[in-house]
Amino acid sequence: MIEIPYTVSKLAGCVGYKDVYNNRDLSKIENKKEEAKNALRLIENGKIFLNPLRPTIIRQKPAFTFNNLSSELVSRLIGKNIRVNYNIRQSDRQAIISNLASLLYEGTPFNIYRLDIKNFYENINRKLLIHQLLEEGKCSWQTLELLFSLFNSFDSHNIVGLPRGLSISSILSEVYLTDFDIKIRKKSGVFFYARFVDDILLVVSEDVTRADLDGQLKNILPVGLEFHNEGKRSFLSLPKLQNKQDKFYFNSFDYLGYEFKVFNIFDNECGYRKKRKVLIDISSVKVEKIKLRLIHSFTNYLSNGRSEESFNLLKNRIRALTGNFTIRDPMTGLKIKTGIYFNYSHKNNFEYCALLELDKFYRKLLFSTKYPLSCRIARKLSTSQRRSLAGYSFMSGFASARHHSFNYGTLKSIKECWRK
C-alpha cells in the first residue's frame, strides 16, 4: 500500500494550473498552504464534503463540479492515492490507434468486435465499488473514509452512479472495470483488446464468433453495467488474404474518432513485406462535429455584430479548427499539442477524404449564394474578410501541421460557442 498523506504540503501540491489561472493569489505558496490548512480543518471536523457540489451540463449531459477548492483538493488527493495503488494510467488514444493499425495490416484472418457500455458512469454501483475497495485493501482507511463521505454527498444530490465532471469519477470507473479488463486479456483467441473509458474494441481469432463473445463479455461485465445493442456495436470478419482475389471488397468501422477501411487485398506500397491495405481517415461523426463547430462559429459572429473584436474571435475559431495549437493540462500545466493534425495523425487516406469534404463545406459557407447561412455571412463579412478567412484550410493545416498560439483566456473564448 502506498499512501500519500493528507498533509498541508501534499494538499497544497494538488493546486493545479487552472486553479492558479482562475485565482492569481494561488501563485503564492503561502496562499496554497492556507487553502490546504482550511481543507485539513474541514477533514478534522467531518465537513469536507458537506454540500460540496454544484450542477452543470457537459456535452448535453447532467454533470457536477466542486463549489469550493478545499473539497476539490481533497478529492484530487483521494484520486491520487487510488490511482497509485491500482496503477491506473490514462489510456493513450493515439497509442491504441497505432497498435490497432499495425495489427490490421497483417494478412491473417481475424474478427473485429466493437461495442460500448450504456450510460457508463450512471450505472456504476457505488456500494459494490466501495465493497471492492474494502475487500482488496489497497487503500488506507483514511482514503476510504473520505471517499465514503464523498459518496454520502452524492446521495444528498440524488446522484445515481458516479457524477460526470469530477476527475475522481474517471479514476473510480477504471477501478470498477479492473477485473473486467484482466479477464478479457486472458481469454483465449484475443489478439488485441482496447478500452477507452466505455468504448471497447477486440480483435480475436476467426474461430471466436460473435455469439461466443456476447455471452462471455456479458458474464464478466460488472453488476449494473450493460452494453448498447445498437449504435457503436458491430462485428466484422476479415478473411486470410490471397495473392489472387476474384472479388474486391472492404469492411469499415469507426473507433476513437477514426474510420478504418480494411480491404481484402495487399497494399502494393508496403514494399517487400506484404501487408493488408488499410485506409484510415477521420470518422464521419467527427466530421459532422467539426462542421457544426464551423456553423456555430459563424452564427455566433452574426449575432454579435461586426466589430473588429468579433471578427478576430471568428478568425481565431477558424484557425483553431483548421490548424493546431497547444493546451495546458489543467493540473500539471504541461503542454499538450492538439488540433486537426495531432488529433488525427494516423490518417493515411487523402483521396476523397474527410479533409477535402471539410474544405468544400467551409468554402460553401464563405462563398455560396445558394444557402441562407452563406448569404447572411456574405452580407455581414466584406469580400476582403472572406478572402482572408479562405486562406485557412483543413488540408493545409493537416499537411503542414500548422501551429497557432492562443493563451488560456483566448482558448476559453474560442470554445464557448462550441459547447452548444
Coordinates of all heavy atoms in Angstrom, one line a residue, residues 321-350:
L321 N -9.8 25.5 -35.6 CA -10.5 24.3 -36.3 C -9.6 23.7 -37.4 O -9.5 22.5 -37.6 CB -11.9 24.7 -36.8 CG -12.9 24.9 -35.7 CD1 -14.2 25.5 -36.4 CD2 -13.3 23.6 -35.0
T322 N -9.0 24.6 -38.2 CA -8.3 24.2 -39.4 C -6.8 23.9 -39.1 O -6.1 23.3 -39.9 CB -8.3 25.2 -40.5 OG1 -7.8 26.5 -40.0 CG2 -9.8 25.5 -40.9
G323 N -6.3 24.3 -37.9 CA -4.9 24.1 -37.6 C -4.7 23.4 -36.3 O -5.5 22.5 -35.9
N324 N -3.6 23.7 -35.6 CA -3.2 23.0 -34.4 C -2.8 24.0 -33.4 O -2.3 25.2 -33.7 CB -2.1 22.1 -34.7 CG -2.4 21.1 -35.8 OD1 -3.0 20.0 -35.6 ND2 -2.0 21.4 -37.1
F325 N -2.9 23.7 -32.1 CA -2.5 24.6 -31.1 C -2.1 23.8 -29.8 O -2.2 22.6 -29.8 CB -3.6 25.6 -30.7 CG -4.9 25.0 -30.4 CD1 -5.3 24.7 -29.2 CD2 -5.8 24.6 -31.5 CE1 -6.5 24.1 -28.9 CE2 -7.0 24.0 -31.2 CZ -7.4 23.8 -29.9
T326 N -1.6 24.5 -28.8 CA -1.1 23.8 -27.6 C -2.1 24.2 -26.5 O -2.4 25.3 -26.3 CB 0.3 24.3 -27.3 OG1 1.2 23.9 -28.3 CG2 0.8 23.6 -26.0
I327 N -2.5 23.2 -25.7 CA -3.2 23.4 -24.5 C -2.4 23.0 -23.3 O -1.4 22.2 -23.5 CB -4.6 22.7 -24.5 CG1 -4.4 21.2 -24.6 CG2 -5.5 23.2 -25.6 CD1 -5.6 20.3 -24.5
R328 N -2.8 23.4 -22.1 CA -2.1 23.1 -20.9 C -2.9 22.1 -20.1 O -4.2 22.3 -20.0 CB -1.7 24.3 -20.1 CG -0.6 25.1 -20.7 CD -0.2 26.3 -19.7 NE 0.8 27.1 -20.2 CZ 2.1 26.9 -20.0 NH1 2.5 25.9 -19.3 NH2 3.0 27.7 -20.5
D329 N -2.3 21.1 -19.6 CA -3.0 20.2 -18.6 C -3.5 21.0 -17.4 O -2.7 21.8 -16.9 CB -2.1 19.1 -18.1 CG -2.8 18.1 -17.3 OD1 -2.9 18.4 -16.1 OD2 -3.2 17.0 -17.7
P330 N -4.8 21.0 -17.1 CA -5.3 21.9 -16.0 C -4.7 21.6 -14.7 O -4.7 22.5 -13.8 CB -6.8 21.5 -16.0 CG -6.9 20.2 -16.6 CD -5.8 20.1 -17.7
M331 N -4.1 20.5 -14.5 CA -3.4 20.2 -13.2 C -1.9 20.5 -13.2 O -1.4 21.2 -12.4 CB -3.7 18.7 -12.8 CG -5.0 18.5 -12.1 SD -5.2 19.5 -10.6 CE -3.8 18.9 -9.6
T332 N -1.2 19.9 -14.2 CA 0.2 20.0 -14.2 C 0.7 21.2 -15.0 O 1.9 21.6 -14.7 CB 0.8 18.7 -14.9 OG1 0.4 18.7 -16.2 CG2 0.3 17.4 -14.1
G333 N -0.1 21.7 -15.9 CA 0.4 22.8 -16.7 C 1.2 22.4 -17.8 O 1.7 23.2 -18.6
L334 N 1.4 21.0 -18.0 CA 2.2 20.5 -19.1 C 1.5 20.8 -20.4 O 0.3 20.8 -20.6 CB 2.4 19.0 -19.0 CG 3.2 18.5 -17.8 CD1 3.2 17.0 -17.7 CD2 4.7 19.1 -17.9
K335 N 2.3 21.1 -21.5 CA 1.8 21.5 -22.8 C 1.4 20.2 -23.6 O 2.2 19.3 -23.6 CB 2.8 22.3 -23.5 CG 3.1 23.7 -22.9 CD 4.1 24.5 -23.7 CE 4.3 25.9 -23.1 NZ 5.3 26.7 -23.8
I336 N 0.2 20.3 -24.2 CA -0.3 19.2 -25.0 C -0.6 19.7 -26.4 O -1.4 20.6 -26.5 CB -1.5 18.5 -24.3 CG1 -1.1 18.0 -22.9 CG2 -2.0 17.3 -25.2 CD1 -2.3 17.6 -22.1
K337 N -0.1 19.1 -27.4 CA -0.4 19.5 -28.8 C -1.8 18.9 -29.2 O -2.0 17.7 -29.0 CB 0.7 19.2 -29.7 CG 2.0 20.0 -29.5 CD 3.1 19.6 -30.5 CE 4.3 20.4 -30.3 NZ 5.4 20.1 -31.2
T338 N -2.6 19.7 -29.8 CA -3.9 19.2 -30.3 C -4.3 19.9 -31.6 O -3.6 20.9 -32.0 CB -5.0 19.4 -29.2 OG1 -6.2 18.8 -29.6 CG2 -5.2 20.9 -29.0
G339 N -5.3 19.4 -32.3 CA -5.7 20.0 -33.5 C -5.9 19.1 -34.6 O -5.9 17.8 -34.4
I340 N -6.2 19.6 -35.8 CA -6.6 18.7 -37.0 C -5.5 17.7 -37.3 O -5.8 16.6 -37.8 CB -6.9 19.6 -38.2 CG1 -7.7 18.8 -39.2 CG2 -5.7 20.2 -38.8 CD1 -9.1 18.4 -38.8
Y341 N -4.2 18.0 -37.1 CA -3.1 17.0 -37.4 C -2.9 16.2 -36.2 O -2.9 14.9 -36.2 CB -1.8 17.7 -37.8 CG -0.7 16.7 -37.9 CD1 -0.6 15.8 -38.9 CD2 0.3 16.6 -36.8 CE1 0.4 14.9 -39.0 CE2 1.3 15.7 -36.9 CZ 1.4 14.8 -38.0 OH 2.4 13.9 -38.0
F342 N -2.7 16.8 -35.0 CA -2.3 16.0 -33.8 C -3.4 15.1 -33.3 O -3.2 14.1 -32.7 CB -1.8 16.9 -32.7 CG -0.5 17.6 -33.1 CD1 -0.4 18.9 -33.5 CD2 0.7 16.9 -33.0 CE1 0.8 19.5 -33.8 CE2 1.9 17.4 -33.4 CZ 1.9 18.8 -33.8
N343 N -4.7 15.5 -33.6 CA -5.8 14.6 -33.2 C -6.0 13.4 -34.1 O -6.6 12.4 -33.8 CB -7.1 15.4 -33.1 CG -7.1 16.3 -31.9 OD1 -6.3 16.2 -31.0 ND2 -8.1 17.2 -31.9
Y344 N -5.5 13.6 -35.4 CA -5.7 12.5 -36.4 C -4.4 12.2 -37.2 O -4.5 12.0 -38.4 CB -6.8 13.0 -37.4 CG -8.1 13.4 -36.6 CD1 -8.4 14.7 -36.5 CD2 -8.9 12.4 -36.1 CE1 -9.6 15.1 -35.8 CE2 -10.1 12.8 -35.4 CZ -10.4 14.1 -35.2 OH -11.5 14.5 -34.5
S345 N -3.4 12.1 -36.4 CA -2.0 11.9 -37.1 C -1.9 10.6 -37.8 O -1.0 10.4 -38.6 CB -0.9 12.1 -36.0 OG -1.1 11.2 -35.0
H346 N -2.8 9.6 -37.5 CA -2.7 8.3 -38.1 C -3.5 8.2 -39.4 O -3.5 7.2 -40.1 CB -3.1 7.2 -37.1 CG -2.2 7.0 -36.0 ND1 -1.0 6.3 -36.1 CD2 -2.3 7.4 -34.7 CE1 -0.4 6.3 -34.9 NE2 -1.1 7.0 -34.0
K347 N -4.1 9.3 -39.8 CA -4.8 9.3 -41.0 C -3.9 9.1 -42.2 O -2.8 9.7 -42.3 CB -5.5 10.7 -41.2 CG -6.1 11.0 -42.5 CD -6.6 12.4 -42.5 CE -6.9 12.9 -43.9 NZ -7.9 12.1 -44.6
N348 N -4.3 8.2 -43.1 CA -3.4 7.9 -44.3 C -4.2 8.0 -45.6 O -3.6 7.6 -46.7 CB -2.7 6.6 -44.1 CG -3.6 5.4 -44.2 OD1 -4.9 5.6 -44.4 ND2 -3.1 4.2 -44.0
N349 N -5.5 8.3 -45.5 CA -6.3 8.4 -46.7 C -6.5 9.9 -47.1 O -7.0 10.7 -46.4 CB -7.7 7.8 -46.4 CG -8.6 7.8 -47.7 OD1 -8.1 8.0 -48.8 ND2 -9.9 7.7 -47.4
F350 N -6.0 10.2 -48.3 CA -6.1 11.6 -48.8 C -6.8 11.8 -50.1 O -6.7 12.8 -50.8 CB -4.7 12.2 -48.9 CG -4.0 12.3 -47.5 CD1 -3.1 11.3 -47.2 CD2 -4.3 13.3 -46.7 CE1 -2.5 11.3 -46.0 CE2 -3.6 13.3 -45.4 CZ -2.7 12.3 -45.1

